[in-house]
Amino acid sequence: MAGRGTEWLKRALLEIQEYVRLIGQVGRSLVTRPIYGRDIVEQLDAIGVGSMTVVLLTGTFTGMVLALQSGLTLDQFGARPVVGRLVSASMVKELGPVLTALMVTGRVGSGIAAELGSMVVTDQIAALRALGTDPVRKLVVPRVVAGTVMVPILTIISDAVGMLGGAVISSLQLKVASSVYWNNVIAGLYMEDVYMGLIKPVVLGFVLVTIGCHVGLRTKGGTQGVGRATTNAVVAGSVAVLVFDFLITKLLITLMY
Amino acid sequence: MSTSTFPVTTSAPRRDDSDAPVVVFDRVSLAFDEKVILQDVSFTLRSGHMKIILGASGAGKSTILRLILGLLKPDGGAITVNGHRVDQMREADLMEVRTGVGMVFQEGALFDSLTVNENVGYRLYEETRQPLEQVDARVAEVLGFVGLGEYGQRMPSELSGGQRRRVAIARAICAKPGVILYDEPTTGLDPITALTIDDEIVKLRDLEEVTSIIVTHQLRDAFYIATHEAARQGNEIDFVKASPKKAAETAFVVLKDAGVLFEGAADELRASDDPYIRAFLS
């Protein structure tokens, strides 16, 4: 039993070591040539534009359900008109960044792990190296850049449609005047909230993509291994998103509030 | 045997220093955890010559090719490729050495998301600053060389197994490397298709003077390559029985128990009375 525990701990430490090493390689590759610009543009499109539908749907329905639930609670205090404050603060500070990151993890993190994993088991990564290309520069860096740039943009879109969804419910269901709702949306937001809402997705985008790349590049065991890598990327990516969300929130509250 | 082919205009570097060592293994050892893959393996491959590495599955044949490219590092010994100690080089420095070596992977290892043209010209398109028209012309030339001139716009998934291997060969030779490594180039192919691949390998060795290593356990293909030579007759290429001089330039290396059991020409291999080799050849 103890032996198995030690073995598990060793494997976990090895994974962390390899993950940190990959991040180091990404850092070096970002500041030295060659940079594969065309691949970066392709990934911006694949990760950003490709995730738009799912983010729009998630953001809209989250904003709507938030307004519904908040309305019920606020009614107990006769404070239904301030529903806009709750929707905007919740979306911008927490739900927008986290739900967007989770949705992108499910869609993009798994896709990256599956794609890179397939390339590993079919020797395409070895072929890249044999042809004189560094797989980290060619495959990982464009995805990391795209994830770090596009997840914040997707989050802003998610926040915006979430507040719009909240406005629809406030107006049609809760019968709160639109001007009251939007005044409260603005009144409920402070600059610190906006900073928090923009810093979080940068970190979460970086984390979820690097985890997808790391898991994909460490794939072993043929097609079965690719399946395992895909699952691991989603599980590890989702947990990491929630853990990092907590850590960043704690850090930013300490620094800014 | 004779075949009508595209005029051969590919041009790997000509041998200016005949018999100079190109790949040298000096007491190379490698183990994965407890399993010893190679133990004190030594051999020398000279310019324009060929080594055919035979051995059972798991004997470390493909590992030797990966060590040459620096895709793996040995635990001990020295590996020299074109004068560079690849076992001591950093990954970034290895990229330069790899430009002189082409590799045909098992199953081809073509990039799924790229067309045949993009696969074949990958190194030239991505890693050099050659003008596009020049690269396009080179890609068309090598695809013609392997008889797939019409397949440039297809995706790898649209090709048969034999066509994929030929595209892999075209990709390996496109940047004109002096050394080509073939990892099981005919495994899983029918005999007719395998013969076309064998002919491509012989053509590259004899007409382009490419130094090469083939890893295989397909004895029929191995002996065909070792005992035939390509000769140009105008626009035709004939495959005839190799002259004694040409036959001496191709050596077999048989691996067993992580070491080299035999090294020598085809005739010597056939004449060997080692029980393992007799069993292997039977």
Side-chain angles (χ1 to χ4, degrees):
Chain A
M1 190 69 181
R4 204 183 296 170
T6 313
E7 196 57 37
W8 182 89
L9 190 65
K10 269 165 66 180
R11 274 208 309 271
L13 287 174
L14 178 68
E15 287 299 321
I16 292 169
Q17 176 192 303
E18 291 300 310
Y19 177 66
V20 171
R21 204 164 72 157
L22 177 69
I23 290 174
Q25 284 176 289
V26 169
R28 272 196 303 278
S29 305
L30 277 169
V31 293
T32 53
R33 286 182 177 280
I35 303 275
Y36 295 93
R38 203 180 58 193
D39 295 275
I40 293 175
V41 174
E42 277 175 17
Q43 290 303 320
L44 285 170
D45 179 58
I47 293 177
V49 180
S51 305
M52 194 68 84
T53 310
V54 71
V55 165
L56 283 173
L57 288 170
T58 314
T60 307
F61 284 104
T62 303
M64 287 165 77
V65 81
L66 205 55
L68 275 177
Q69 295 282 21
S70 308
L72 274 180
T73 310
L74 290 171
D75 273 351
Q76 294 172 14
F77 306 100
R80 185 185 281 194
V82 299
V83 67
R85 282 176 180 251
L86 272 174
V87 172
S88 65
S90 306
M91 282 305 297
V92 170
K93 285 200 290 186
E94 197 58 48
L95 291 175
V98 171
L99 286 179
T100 303
L102 287 175
M103 297 315 287
V104 175
T105 302
R107 187 189 165 273
V108 174
S110 60
I112 290 173
E115 188 180 359
L116 299 192
S118 302
M119 290 184 76
V120 169
V121 301
T122 56
D123 266 342
Q124 291 178 57
I125 297 288
L128 266 184
R129 292 172 66 199
L131 287 162
T133 297
D134 178 352
V136 172
R137 287 181 188 278
K138 175 78 178 164
L139 301 171
V140 178
V141 168
R143 286 164 174 77
V144 172
V145 170
T148 311
V149 170
M150 292 315 292
V151 172
I153 293 173
L154 290 169
T155 300
I156 292 169
I157 293 167
S158 173
D159 293 345
V161 295
M163 286 186 265
L164 273 174
V168 171
I169 292 298
S170 297
S171 172
L172 299 180
Q173 179 86 24
L174 304 178
K175 307 298 180 194
V176 173
S178 184
S179 58
V180 173
Y181 175 84
W182 286 111
N183 278 336
N184 274 289
V185 162
I186 292 162
L189 283 180
Y190 296 90
M191 277 318 288
E192 288 83 354
D193 300 336
V194 177
Y195 292 144
M196 184 183 277
L198 290 176
I199 292 169
K200 271 187 186 179
V202 172
V203 178
L204 299 183
F206 178 84
V207 168
L208 74 90
V209 173
T210 47
I211 286 177
C213 291
H214 166 74
V215 173
L217 289 175
R218 302 261 306 155
T219 302
K220 290 190 183 88
T223 48
Q224 220 175 13
V226 175
R228 264 197 310 272
T230 310
T231 309
N232 289 345
V234 176
V235 173
S238 304
V239 172
V241 162
L242 296 173
V243 170
F244 273 87
D245 175 54
F246 168 74
L247 294 175
I248 302 162
T249 306
K250 181 90 180 94
L251 178 71
L252 293 180
I253 286 175
T254 309
L255 292 176
M256 296 196 304
Y257 289 85
Chain B
M1 185 186 303
S2 156
T3 179
S4 174
T5 66
F6 188 86
V8 180
T9 53
T10 53
S11 53
R14 294 275 155 191
R15 268 191 289 171
D16 46 7
D17 186 9
S18 184
D19 287 352
V22 173
V23 177
V24 181
F25 263 52
D26 184 14
R27 300 176 64 82
V28 172
S29 300
L30 176 69
F32 293 136
D33 297 325
E34 303 296 307
K35 185 171 168 51
V36 177
I37 308 295
L38 301 174
Q39 185 70 50
D40 289 335
V41 169
S42 300
F43 65 83
T44 299
L45 175 64
R46 299 189 178 280
S47 178
H49 289 210
M50 174 181 274
K51 289 264 186 249
I52 299 176
I53 302 177
L54 300 176
S57 296
K61 305 186 297 292
S62 299
T63 303
I64 287 177
L65 302 188
R66 285 166 192 264
L67 286 166
I68 292 170
L69 276 168
L71 300 177
L72 290 173
K73 296 281 183 201
D75 297 331
I79 303 169
T80 310
V81 178
N82 287 326
H84 299 281
R85 278 288 300 273
V86 293
D87 56 297
Q88 293 179 335
M89 295 175 85
R90 296 180 312 129
E91 180 75 11
D93 300 324
L94 279 167
M95 296 301 175
E96 182 64 28
V97 177
R98 288 172 186 159
T99 60
V101 184
M103 175 143 175
V104 179
F105 285 85
Q106 268 185 49
E107 312 290 335
L110 301 179
F111 304 127
D112 297 331
S113 56
L114 304 182
T115 64
V116 167
N117 274 341
E118 290 165 339
N119 263 285
V120 171
Y122 178 84
R123 181 181 283 183
L124 299 180
Y125 286 124
E126 294 284 340
E127 305 298 339
T128 69
R129 290 168 185 267
Q130 285 189 30
L132 276 182
E133 307 76 51
Q134 211 172 310
V135 177
D136 291 343
R138 174 67 186 163
V139 168
E141 187 182 20
V142 291
L143 275 177
F145 183 67
V146 297
L148 294 174
E150 306 297 313
Y151 290 73
Q153 294 307 320
R154 296 210 186 172
M155 300 303 287
S157 57
E158 299 173 271
L159 303 177
S160 68
Q163 287 167 339
R164 289 171 71 92
R165 303 289 170 90
R166 280 148 74 191
V167 172
I169 291 174
R171 182 173 71 180
I173 65 176
C174 192
K176 305 181 183 178
V179 183
I180 298 188
L181 313 174
Y182 303 91
D183 191 359
E184 306 274 9
T186 57
T187 301
L189 301 179
D190 64 87
I192 306 293
T193 310
L195 193 62
T196 64
I197 303 289
D198 296 341
D199 287 343
E200 302 300 342
I201 294 169
V202 172
K203 268 158 57 180
L204 284 166
R205 180 193 62 197
D206 299 339
L207 305 180
E208 306 301 312
E209 298 182 353
V210 171
T211 308
S212 39
I213 298 181
I214 302 174
V215 155
T216 186
H217 50 239
Q218 304 289 311
L219 292 174
R220 184 190 154 283
D221 298 311
F223 278 104
Y224 177 85
I225 292 165
T227 58
H228 285 76
E229 105 178 81
R232 197 177 291 152
Q233 307 285 342
N235 275 350
E236 294 274 304
I237 294 169
D238 287 341
F239 293 92
V240 296
K241 191 168 166 19
S243 65
K245 180 177 175 295
K246 182 53 78 178
E249 291 180 356
T250 297
F252 282 85
V253 175
V254 180
L255 298 179
K256 181 177 180 267
D257 296 336
V260 174
L261 175 67
F262 169 91
E263 185 173 3
D267 290 343
E268 294 166 340
L269 182 65
R270 281 203 186 98
S272 171
D273 52 10
D274 181 274
Y276 180 81
I277 292 176
R278 298 295 340 143
F280 198 86
L281 297 183
S282 61

